[in-house]
């Protein structure tokens, strides 16, 4: 497969059935990769989970979470409607453990094995196959979607631990190596042409940390990620690690919205005192 040149990443507002998302329509038109960052709107959950809670590990009714996930797939990937495949066969949503492990769906035959591993814990899902979606869930942590010029993509959960352990840079290097193996295109060329999308997350003015965490971040990523002595800029730390592995800064699109300050639109663990639903970062290639 030859590498394409992707359009510059943008996050435009879109609405699919009842579900408003931030997406990149031009990316979809060119590659068939549909990415989406969801908000709280468009689902069936109530209370702290009102309404599109996609997280299954919170204290919401699991049947409602499943309904919300079905609504998401039906809205974003209507091409899959009418197929006999169940949700487990088309959607990988790992148990997130703040680690640095990525799992890969290379072909449809991998889905069962990846589902079993994902249930044990993983924080990034790489997908090369068409028609298989990846969903990760967030309420202040940084949601990242990376799309290689060949259409291979990853959805990544980067909390402060995930930014610190550099899961995003590690996943990007891994998926570029995988694609080099398949396509022969050098990994450095693939990474330079990769689009990075960052959804809403807790911004620097709201992300108060201990002195230890603050010093870990400035030690690894430089003083530019320090907002003041007790606040860290996770977005800047993420940007620094991505540029170090060869990402083009013009190919990073950040929604630039703080979850804590915008708790009416997004779930926020801190703003909701730990009792919150989860919005999603989702991608699928159609
Ligand atoms: Zn804020």
């Amino acid at each position: 497969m030859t590498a394409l040149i992707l359009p510059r990443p943008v996050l435009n507002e879109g609405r699919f059935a009842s579900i408003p998302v931030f997406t990149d329509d031009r990316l979809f038109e060119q590659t068939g990769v549909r990415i989406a960052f969801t908000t709280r709107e468009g689902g069936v959950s109530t209370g702290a989970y009102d309404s599109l809670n996609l997280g299954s590990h919170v204290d919401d009714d699991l049947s409602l979470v499943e309904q919300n996930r079905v609504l998401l797939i039906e809205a974003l990937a209507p091409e899959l409607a009418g197929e006999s495949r169940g949700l487990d066969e088309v959607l990988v949503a790992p148990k997130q453990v703040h680690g640095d492990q990525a799992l890969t769906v290379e072909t449809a035959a991998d889905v069962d094995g990846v589902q079993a591993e994902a249930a044990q814990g993983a924080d990034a899902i790489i997908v090369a196959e068409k028609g298989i979606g990846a969903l990760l869930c967030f309420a202040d942590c940084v949601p990242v979607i990376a799309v290689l010029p060949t259409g291979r993509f990853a959805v990544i959960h980067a909390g402060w631990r995930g930014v610190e352990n550099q899961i995003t840079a590690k996943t990007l290097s891994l998926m570029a190596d995988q694609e080099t193996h398949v396509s022969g295109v050098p990994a450095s060329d693939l990474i330079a042409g990769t689009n990075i999308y960052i959804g809403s997350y807790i911004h620097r003015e709201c992300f108060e940390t201990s002195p230890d965490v603050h010093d870990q971040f400035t030690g690894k990523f430089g003083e530019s990620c320090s907002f003041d002595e007790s606040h860290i800029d996770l977005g800047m730390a993420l940007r620094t690690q991505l540029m170090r592995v060869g990402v083009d800064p013009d190919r990073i699109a950040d929604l630039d919205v703080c979850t804590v300050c915008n708790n009416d639109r997004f779930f926020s663990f801190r703003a909701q005192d730990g009792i919150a639903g989860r919005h999603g970062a989702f991608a699928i290639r159609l």
Side-chain angles (χ1 to χ4, degrees):
M1 190 190 306
T2 358
L4 303 165
I5 295 174
L6 298 180
R8 295 273 169 193
V10 291
L11 284 166
N12 60 273
E13 290 190 57
R15 183 176 282 271
F16 298 82
S18 66
I19 299 180
V21 298
F22 294 91
T23 188
D24 187 343
D25 287 330
R26 287 178 59 213
L27 176 81
F28 177 70
E29 285 158 18
Q30 186 168 317
T31 64
V33 177
R34 173 60 78 190
I35 64 150
F37 296 108
T38 65
T39 72
R40 294 182 66 160
E41 192 185 336
V44 294
S45 296
T46 59
Y49 312 105
D50 181 356
S51 64
L52 190 67
N53 169 41
L54 296 167
S56 60
H57 61 297
V58 293
D59 206 17
D60 192 8
D61 181 335
L62 280 177
S63 69
L64 298 181
V65 177
E66 172 134 357
Q67 279 186 58
N68 286 335
R69 290 181 172 185
V70 169
L71 285 170
L72 178 77
I73 292 286
E74 287 179 348
L76 273 295
E79 291 83 348
L80 301 186
E83 287 191 15
S84 56
R85 292 189 294 170
L87 196 59
D88 279 0
E89 294 166 274
V90 297
L91 184 67
V92 181
K95 177 186 176 189
Q96 296 166 205
V97 292
H98 297 281
D100 65 355
Q101 192 190 4
L103 302 176
T104 304
V105 179
E106 193 68 44
T107 72
D110 297 335
V111 172
D112 284 353
V114 168
Q115 290 285 20
E117 277 193 83
Q120 299 302 309
D123 291 277
I125 301 296
I126 299 168
V127 180
E129 179 70 286
K130 287 187 178 177
I132 307 291
L135 171 71
L136 282 86
C137 297
F138 304 84
D140 290 341
C141 292
V142 188
V144 185
I145 300 173
V147 183
L148 261 54
T150 53
R152 181 181 296 254
F153 64 82
V155 184
I156 303 157
H157 165 239
W160 71 260
R161 291 181 191 81
V163 176
E164 195 270 336
N165 71 26
Q166 309 199 56
I167 183 173
T168 305
K170 289 174 186 170
T171 300
L172 184 54
S173 297
L174 173 62
M175 65 198 288
D177 286 345
Q178 291 168 344
E179 194 60 52
T180 297
H181 189 68
V182 174
S183 67
V185 179
S188 55
D189 292 355
L190 291 165
I191 290 176
T194 293
N195 279 6
I196 303 286
Y197 301 88
I198 301 172
S200 57
Y201 62 94
I202 185 170
H203 278 205
R204 59 186 192 174
E205 69 282 357
C206 292
F207 185 51
E208 190 172 0
T209 62
S210 67
D212 283 359
V213 171
H214 181 275
D215 292 350
Q216 272 179 47
F217 270 85
T218 53
K220 277 195 176 177
F221 307 113
E223 288 298 325
S224 64
C225 71
S226 169
F227 180 52
D228 63 28
E229 61 193 16
S230 58
H231 291 78
I232 282 293
D233 187 335
L234 292 173
M236 183 59 77
L238 185 61
R239 186 173 283 266
T240 300
Q241 71 182 248
L242 288 172
M243 287 166 60
R244 283 179 186 165
V245 295
V247 169
D248 177 349
D250 289 339
R251 288 196 174 275
I252 302 174
D254 188 329
L255 190 55
D256 199 23
V257 170
C258 173
T259 44
V260 179
C261 295
N262 295 276
N263 186 217
D264 55 330
R265 283 196 90 185
F266 296 95
F267 294 108
S268 169
F269 188 85
R270 288 205 183 191
Q272 296 180 247
D273 293 324
I275 302 171
R278 299 289 186 270
H279 45 260
F282 171 77
I284 192 166
R285 189 177 185 187
L286 296 168

